[in-house]
Amino acid sequence: MAVRTPFIAGNWKMNLDHLQAVAFVQKLHWTLKEAGHEVGSVEVGLFPPFTDIRTVQTLLDADKIPFSLGGQDLSMKDSGAYTGEISGAFLKKLDCGYVIIGHSERRDYHAETDEVVSAKVQAALRHGLTPVICVGETAADLEEFGASAVPVGQLRVALEGVPSAADIVVAYEPVWAIGSGQAATPEQAQDVCAKLREVIVDVLGADAGERTRVLYGGSVKSGNIASYMREPDVDGALVGGASLVVDEFAAIVRYQKHVGV
Ligand code: PGA
């Protein structure tokens, strides 16, 4: 079985300005170093606001800090008269490797449909960015359709036209678990992540299914991360609130050292 490097991704959302970002990234790097964290055992990804990215890129480069960088969204267009939009080309120029697409806050507050998400996935791939495709059901969906039907449907649309060799990451984020403190159980996360992997195998093939990382997101904390990471189809986490506190995020990154893992 192909080894999938665990991926712990911090989605800062609209938090931390570029000066706060510098202090945060330096402290996180120092904290992980002090703890003897083995670089390479876990990939650490940071998803700051757009206005921080140039600053964070410069810091990672200057201090040789081994964190991956990504945007929280991108435009489906490449350039032109689209006020307020950010092109994937701009993110790539700033050494971003990743971009989050279809986060439930974008789907909800910005009315992003599955078709918009699909167009953004194509835009990310055009610019050599790895899309972190977010899918997940609301509490109402959960009641009406169960846990997996909505995220599976969302992923099928997002993967339309994606070549089988493409690098993608999928994040299962039940909307009811985001920022609520009411995290999914490890069994729930495993169940849906396994079904999402089946979709990847079905659409992109067995190799893609083996190598693609499927993350869980929604109220992940240092106290519950290890329980998710024990599940065979959960390859990491997309962390919101807990990614803004250095010690907490560092403890999440260090889940392999938690007792019982
Ligand atoms: P949360 O957010 O960790 O604060 O629940 C997760 C996310 O929205 O990615």
Side-chain angles (χ1 to χ4, degrees):
M1 182 162 160
V3 178
R4 299 186 288 269
T5 303
F7 188 29
I8 301 293
N11 174 12
W12 294 1
K13 308 191 179 181
M14 198 170 73
N15 294 291
L16 305 182
D17 64 34
H18 73 289
L19 297 175
Q20 294 169 318
V22 169
F24 180 94
V25 173
Q26 282 175 329
K27 191 165 174 227
L28 179 64
H29 179 49
W30 182 84
T31 302
L32 287 171
K33 231 176 151 171
E34 279 291 290
H37 180 67
E38 201 186 307
V39 175
S41 61
V42 173
E43 181 178 357
V44 178
L46 301 178
F47 294 80
F50 290 133
T51 49
D52 297 7
I53 290 179
R54 171 66 173 146
T55 306
V56 174
Q57 175 220 15
T58 306
L59 174 61
L60 297 182
D61 188 43
D63 290 4
K64 308 219 170 347
I65 300 176
F67 300 158
S68 300
L69 187 59
Q72 296 176 13
D73 181 36
L74 87 173
S75 174
M76 65 173 97
K77 307 288 187 185
D78 295 340
S79 66
Y82 302 102
T83 301
E85 294 285 279
I86 299 291
S87 164
F90 304 163
L91 295 176
K92 188 68 185 177
K93 263 254 151 72
L94 294 176
D95 297 338
C96 285
Y98 296 92
V99 60
I100 295 172
I101 297 177
H103 190 279
S104 69
E105 287 149 19
R106 301 289 317 172
R107 292 179 189 262
D108 190 9
Y109 307 141
H110 300 271
E112 290 193 6
T113 60
D114 287 347
E115 289 64 35
V116 168
V117 170
S118 165
K120 290 188 171 190
V121 169
Q122 293 299 323
L125 296 175
R126 267 199 309 280
H127 295 291
L129 297 163
T130 299
V132 178
I133 304 168
C134 299
V135 296
E137 80 288 356
T138 63
D141 293 334
L142 181 65
E143 207 151 282
E144 196 173 346
F145 310 109
S148 61
V150 167
V152 158
Q154 290 172 334
L155 184 59
R156 280 198 180 276
V157 179
L159 293 184
E160 274 170 25
V162 170
S164 25
D167 267 330
I168 60 163
V169 172
V170 173
Y172 168 51
E173 297 213 303
V175 182
W176 48 269
I178 295 176
S180 65
Q182 192 201 335
T185 65
E187 295 72 26
Q188 285 173 314
Q190 163 59 25
D191 180 51
V192 180
C193 289
K195 293 202 168 80
L196 294 172
R197 194 177 304 284
E198 282 168 22
V199 173
I200 299 166
V201 170
D202 189 37
V203 179
L204 303 181
D207 277 5
E210 283 275 291
R211 75 168 185 273
T212 299
R213 289 171 297 178
V214 180
L215 316 181
Y216 166 73
S219 297
V220 171
K221 307 258 182 302
S222 60
N224 61 19
I225 180 68
S227 65
Y228 297 113
M229 298 308 289
R230 265 185 225 118
E231 299 294 341
D233 285 295
V234 179
D235 304 312
L238 186 54
V239 187
S243 78
L244 299 170
V245 182
V246 170
D247 289 338
E248 178 67 5
F249 190 61
I252 292 172
V253 170
R254 306 245 318 131
Y255 75 88
Q256 288 163 333
K257 303 293 174 200
H258 297 191
V259 179
V261 177

